[in-house]
Amino acid sequence: MVDSLKKPAFEEIRPGVKAPAKETILTPRFYTTDFDEMAKMDISANEEELKAILEEFRADYNRNHFVRDAEFEQSWDHIDGETRRLFIEFLERSCTAEFSGFLLYKELGRRLKDKNPVLAECFTLMSRDEARHAGFLNKAMSDFNLCLDLGFLTKNRSYTFFKPKFIFYATYLSEKIGYWRYITIYRHLEAHPENRIYPIFRFFENWCQDENRHGDFFDALMRSQPQMLNDWKAKLWCRFFLLSVFATMYLNDLQRAGFYAAIGLNARDYDMYVIKKTNETAARVFPVILDVDHPEFYRRLDICVENNAKLAEIDKSDAPKLVKFCRKLPYYLSNVWQFVRLYFIKPIETASRQGVVL
Ligand SMILES: [Fe+2]
Ligand SMILES: [Fe+2]
């Protein structure tokens, strides 16, 4: 065999253990927060709903769901080349995102235990779910002869600090967008089973219900803290988080359109649908949502997609660092400008939609 063919497609920290992907503004983040402020929170304004959600978590509907069956036991070498690379990347990104949820929820469960037992138990039970999700994805990676060292990841990733209210906006959205992402892939493959190239997608239906319940928990938690939702600052921040979450997903997915094509999906159509549904869902709790049907919305996001393609091209060249930076600068500035313009598209007030099930 020619030497270059033997070279693994990914960098490894040990044989079979993949080096974590380089952290960028678009990779899944790890979060930490002000645990004392969280512990002091008075949830009495919505305690009944939170207790009902806790009962749901305790019921543990997916206790026996994440069990690998016979369909996994075969060679996956026929998924090769670029599709294999994109597939492993999808598994890694999903695993990292799930694991990041696990770490945050587990720590919150631990720190709130004595001061806020209802919240603490909710967080602990959500961390149970996320551990299952991350473990299942990591096991899937091992079907491709790789896995992630999650202990290494815990120690070596940088953690982003967010105050509790920002943690709530961000995790609420990531749970709900996770729900829409999984259910949309599941429904598509249910209608087109010929595109289901790997069995993990069969698990997405029950899996996404975990994410939906997690999202509902943050919905109820934010309602227990009306000051987080009802002033002008809340409106500005909700817009910011909606836009950040949507733009990050869109830029990531369009860069990896080949993965979605491999399962018969058009990445752009898929993302537009997921963004529309998540935005509608967020109207149940956020004071404003984005006008994603505004003609500028996808026009500007598409400019960012083009900018990112140019940035990647420059990165690949052999030019000296400083030259590269100067060539990249206009594209960075353009991205910032698009983001600012997107942010100032008039949002949609949601007061009339609150409490409506979407
Ligand atoms: Fe999850
Ligand atoms: Fe979740």
Side-chain angles (χ1 to χ4, degrees), residues 98 105 126 129-130 133 175 210-212 214-215:
E98 297 280 11
Y105 299 158
M126 290 198 300
D129 296 341
E130 305 300 15
H133 302 166
E175 295 290 359
D210 281 343
E211 312 305 4
N212 206 22
H214 299 172

Side-chain angles (χ1 to χ4, degrees), residues 9 13 16 29-30 33 44 47 52 57 65 114 144 153 166 185 203 205 208 215 224 232 238 267 291 307 322 333 350:
I13 44 175
R29 316 203 77 74
F30 283 28
T33 189
S44 55
E47 194 159 4
F57 288 158
H65 180 62
D114 303 323
F144 298 86
L153 212 59
F166 300 135
I185 291 179
F203 290 74
E205 189 182 28
C208 76
S224 79
W232 60 273
C238 287
D291 182 3
N307 288 343
L322 186 67
L333 292 176
T350 60

Side-chain angles (χ1 to χ4, degrees), residues 46 185 269 276 305:
N46 201 18
I185 291 179
D269 294 344
K276 182 177 153 47
V305 172

Side-chain angles (χ1 to χ4, degrees), residues 96-159:
T96 309
E98 297 280 11
F99 188 66
S100 137
F102 160 74
L103 284 180
L104 176 69
Y105 299 158
K106 184 165 175 273
E107 191 61 8
L108 281 163
R110 201 174 67 80
R111 302 268 199 125
L112 269 55
K113 207 169 174 207
D114 303 323
K115 296 163 194 148
N116 211 329
V118 172
L119 287 191
E121 193 178 348
C122 284
F123 280 121
T124 302
L125 294 177
M126 290 198 300
S127 81
R128 166 204 69 194
D129 296 341
E130 305 300 15
R132 274 181 198 149
H133 302 166
F136 204 66
L137 284 156
N138 210 10
K139 199 81 187 81
M141 282 183 76
S142 69
D143 288 338
F144 298 86
N145 309 319
L146 281 170
C147 66
L148 283 179
D149 181 338
L150 298 174
F152 177 86
L153 212 59
T154 311
K155 286 186 214 108
N156 291 282
R157 282 288 292 245
S158 46
Y159 288 76

